[in-house]
Amino acid sequence: MTPDPRKTSLLAALRRNGIADERVLEAIEKVPREVFVEDAFSDQAYADQALPISCGQTISQPYVVALMTEGLRVESDHRVLEIGTGSGYQTAVLAHLCKRVYSIERYRTLSETAAERLKSLKIKNVTLQVSDGTKGWVQLAPFDRIIVTAAARGEPQALLDQLAPGGVMVIPIEERAGKQDLFRITRTATGFEREHLIPVRFVPLVEGVPRDG
Ligand code: SAH
């Protein structure tokens, strides 16, 4: 198959912007982003920008997906918990890099659409659930990696608790209105270490599940 020139230039832009992990770039190369955007935006599938999806949510900007995935330091034997399935794009990228992705979304519509897309791409190492991700997935914890793709007001305690020893969580945190930053939190023998990555803009992490979602 000839590579899509739009995808080739997106990958070049990601490299120019400092994404260096070849496994991450390869995973991004493998996932057709056009499958995860709304039809109305298919001409912008490889633009480096976030796009609207249903339920008033967004598919993240490719650079942010790449940076978060790289920052997560995923290994092939890892079990990864994702909060905020959304379009399913980040889920698909992670699925190429780890053993299994467990992804939680609060909108049923989004979760069901994501499931169809992942199935159409024959991505099988993914388990989706509709629930409130701020509570994590107690029955399946601990996780080697946790990625949160919506902005939290603080670090959700349940997610810290469900991180394996040595585990890493990447999470956008809104410390005051309008100011969000991406952090990497590592569980050490004695507690948690926090590193600032970049300023970001995500839709909010919202507690509870919509009744008609
Ligand atoms: N990774 C997704 C990002 C989608 S936007 C993508 O690239 O497409 C963030 C998603 O988090 C939204 O779909 C939103 O509904 C979901 N979300 C927000 N709060 C949540 C919660 N408490 N539990 C689960 N999902 C949540």
Side-chain angles (χ1 to χ4, degrees), residues 3 5 12 41 52 85 103 128 133 141 144 150 187 205 208:
F41 295 101
T85 315
S103 186
L128 304 184
D144 303 297
R187 183 168 206 156
L205 186 71

Side-chain angles (χ1 to χ4, degrees), residues 33 36 51 53-61 65 82-91 103-107 110 117 129-135 148-151 202-209:
R33 192 166 181 264
F36 296 89
L51 294 169
I53 57 174
S54 51
C55 306
Q57 306 302 312
T58 52
I59 173 171
S60 303
Q61 180 192 350
V65 170
E82 177 188 35
I83 310 303
T85 315
S87 66
Y89 178 68
Q90 171 80 74
T91 321
S103 186
I104 304 179
E105 169 57 53
R106 62 191 289 276
Y107 284 106
L110 289 175
R117 291 167 174 166
Q129 179 176 269
V130 179
S131 67
D132 176 2
T134 60
K135 299 186 171 65
V148 183
T149 69
F202 276 88
V203 294
L205 186 71
V206 180
E207 283 185 33
V209 177

Side-chain angles (χ1 to χ4, degrees), residues 88-134:
Y89 178 68
Q90 171 80 74
T91 321
V93 171
L94 286 168
H96 284 293
L97 294 165
C98 71
K99 190 161 162 204
R100 181 161 283 273
V101 187
Y102 301 88
S103 186
I104 304 179
E105 169 57 53
R106 62 191 289 276
Y107 284 106
R108 181 165 301 280
T109 324
L110 289 175
S111 184
E112 287 177 356
T113 308
E116 283 165 22
R117 291 167 174 166
L118 294 163
K119 194 174 169 207
S120 77
L121 296 175
K122 300 191 166 51
I123 295 174
K124 299 199 171 101
N125 56 334
V126 165
T127 309
L128 304 184
Q129 179 176 269
V130 179
S131 67
D132 176 2
T134 60

